[in-house]
Amino acid sequence: MKKAFLTLMSAVLLIGLSSFTGENKKAPITLNVVADKSRVDWIGSKAGDYHTGSFTVKSGQVQVENGKLTGGSFVIDLANLKVTDGAGDRLAGHLKSADFFDVAKFSEATYTITGVNYTGEGTCEINGNLNIKGATVAVKFNANIRSASEKGLFGQAYFSVDRTALGILYNGPAKDVQLAIHLFAK
């Protein structure tokens, strides 16, 4: 009886200790980006006017650990650029030209997360590298992670980026472009 009691107490002690040492920590999981629900919206401006549009997200994966985004990457389909205001196809054609994205040579851009620093419940600063037009540029932004679990991830970010830092040097439009990233993964 004493031996059974000691065995039971040892098991309880080991279980209790494992909860403090992190042995119950869930292993990281990889989720696939849902391309038809993910996109990058943009607003570009010039003197006295602005234009709106979007890029589709082609593919990607994110890593989630213990309910938090920890890494990942996604591919932006530059060739599928859409202009959503009245400038339509004419502006889309110019943005796809060598003056801007040069989609004949560079039809995709890739963003790879290099670090995630949570600043609050569901808010984080994401550091990463954007590979666009054959160059890699560091891009950092704040994001809202609406959900992150083994069931899926939904995150959003709203920020501006200096297009000249991305190698888009065409004279005329303002340097800052407003971006909104909507990323879903399952």
Side-chain angles (χ1 to χ4, degrees), residues 25-33 61-73 113 116 118 124 126 145-155 183-186:
K25 194 175 180 181
K26 291 183 180 178
I29 58 169
T30 298
L31 303 169
N32 292 316
V33 170
Q61 293 185 323
V62 294
Q63 287 76 46
V64 172
E65 185 174 358
N66 293 319
K68 296 191 184 283
L69 173 68
T70 59
S73 66
I113 297 170
V116 180
Y118 273 80
C124 60
I126 297 178
I145 307 301
R146 305 287 183 207
S147 64
S149 70
E150 65 279 347
K151 293 180 182 178
L153 175 130
F154 172 45
L183 199 65
F184 287 87
K186 290 212 176 244

Side-chain angles (χ1 to χ4, degrees), residues 69 119 122-126 141-145 155-158:
L69 173 68
T119 56
T123 59
C124 60
E125 180 181 84
I126 297 178
F141 54 86
N142 293 318
N144 295 310
I145 307 301
Q156 296 174 293
Y158 303 92

Side-chain angles (χ1 to χ4, degrees), residues 83-181:
V83 174
T84 56
D85 64 33
D89 291 340
R90 184 172 162 261
L91 177 59
H94 189 206
L95 293 173
K96 290 177 183 182
S97 77
D99 287 342
F100 287 91
F101 293 106
D102 199 3
V103 299
K105 291 182 186 173
F106 307 103
S107 63
E108 298 176 345
T110 303
Y111 185 78
T112 303
I113 297 170
T114 59
V116 180
N117 179 35
Y118 273 80
T119 56
E121 186 65 34
T123 59
C124 60
E125 180 181 84
I126 297 178
N127 291 288
N129 292 319
L130 177 64
N131 185 298
I132 186 166
K133 293 180 68 172
T136 300
V137 181
V139 175
K140 173 173 57 171
F141 54 86
N142 293 318
N144 295 310
I145 307 301
R146 305 287 183 207
S147 64
S149 70
E150 65 279 347
K151 293 180 182 178
L153 175 130
F154 172 45
Q156 296 174 293
Y158 303 92
F159 61 100
S160 65
V161 66
D162 179 349
R163 66 177 174 80
T164 62
L166 304 176
I168 302 170
L169 305 174
Y170 187 78
N171 195 19
K175 288 183 180 181
D176 66 314
V177 176
Q178 305 302 310
L179 298 176
I181 298 173

